[in-house]
Amino acid sequence: AQAQKELAEADYRRLQQAFAVHAASQEDLDTKKAALDTAVADVAVNQAELDTAKLNLSFCYIDSPIDGRAGQRLVDVGNVVTADQTSILTVQRLQPLYVDFTVTERDFPEVRKLSDQGTLQVQVTVPQYPNDVRSGPLTFLDTSVQPGAGRLRVQATLKNEDKFLWPGQ
């Protein structure tokens, strides 16, 4: 009986030690679970911040209403700009290209007579390449003669597919 009592006490001590180890393991497990929950919450917060930053970035782009070539920028990084009040840069359309010129008041009756018969074709050259002729339809006749100049403003539209001509050339 004494031996059985001692064996039972030894089993009891062993079970107490095992329980203590288990309790310590449970505390460690609880601590690690809390750390995992915190990390998961941090990831969710960071994802929300990233989504907000992406949304804000999507509002930071400025799109040109026309296709063309951008000129030199007119503001620098850090300048304050106001929507619809500050020009950031100039975009020039290259295709099609609108060619503005004038016709003298004396030549206007002939232009008008020919335009009444159908679309007039305009031939355009530049001084540097006089043999390289580009053509396009006359697309605009102004409604009045310029006072004092005796000229009428007209406009032709050129496809300019090879971008040979540049605005203002």
Side-chain angles (χ1 to χ4, degrees):
Q2 183 62 29
Q4 283 181 340
K5 179 185 168 200
E6 289 174 5
L7 281 174
E9 287 174 348
D11 281 345
Y12 178 75
R13 283 192 300 273
R14 198 173 63 249
L15 286 172
Q16 276 184 323
Q17 289 174 350
F19 181 77
V21 168
H22 175 72
S25 295
Q26 186 62 42
E27 284 180 23
D28 188 41
L29 183 62
D30 290 343
T31 302
K32 289 181 179 176
K33 171 85 168 78
L36 176 63
D37 291 344
T38 301
V40 167
D42 288 345
V43 167
V45 168
N46 290 338
Q47 185 62 50
E49 289 175 356
L50 179 62
D51 292 344
T52 300
K54 285 180 180 178
L55 178 65
N56 290 338
L57 183 62
S58 73
F59 292 112
C60 292
Y61 289 97
I62 300 170
D63 294 320
S64 174
I66 63 170
D67 289 333
R69 186 174 178 94
Q72 182 179 7
R73 73 172 186 266
L74 305 174
V75 295
D76 294 317
V77 174
N79 289 142
V80 176
V81 297
T82 305
D84 299 324
Q85 292 182 3
T86 307
S87 293
I88 297 173
L89 57 85
T90 301
V91 177
Q92 294 286 343
R93 182 186 304 264
L94 298 175
Q95 294 176 287
L97 187 69
Y98 302 106
V99 180
D100 297 319
F101 56 99
T102 59
V103 173
T104 64
E105 186 176 10
R106 186 183 74 235
D107 293 331
F108 179 64
E110 182 70 19
V111 171
R112 195 166 116 191
K113 177 182 155 194
L114 292 172
S115 68
D116 288 344
Q117 295 174 2
T119 303
L120 293 179
Q121 287 293 311
V122 174
Q123 293 184 330
V124 178
T125 63
V126 291
Q128 298 86 347
Y129 303 99
N131 296 329
D132 200 346
V133 179
R134 306 300 166 113
S135 63
L138 184 68
T139 52
F140 173 76
L141 287 168
D142 205 350
T143 57
S144 63
V145 176
Q146 298 170 350
R151 296 184 170 276
L152 186 75
R153 202 169 80 84
V154 294
Q155 185 179 75
T157 304
L158 305 179
K159 288 184 180 179
N160 201 32
E161 291 168 341
D162 61 354
K163 299 178 186 167
F164 175 75
L165 298 170
W166 282 71
Q169 187 175 22

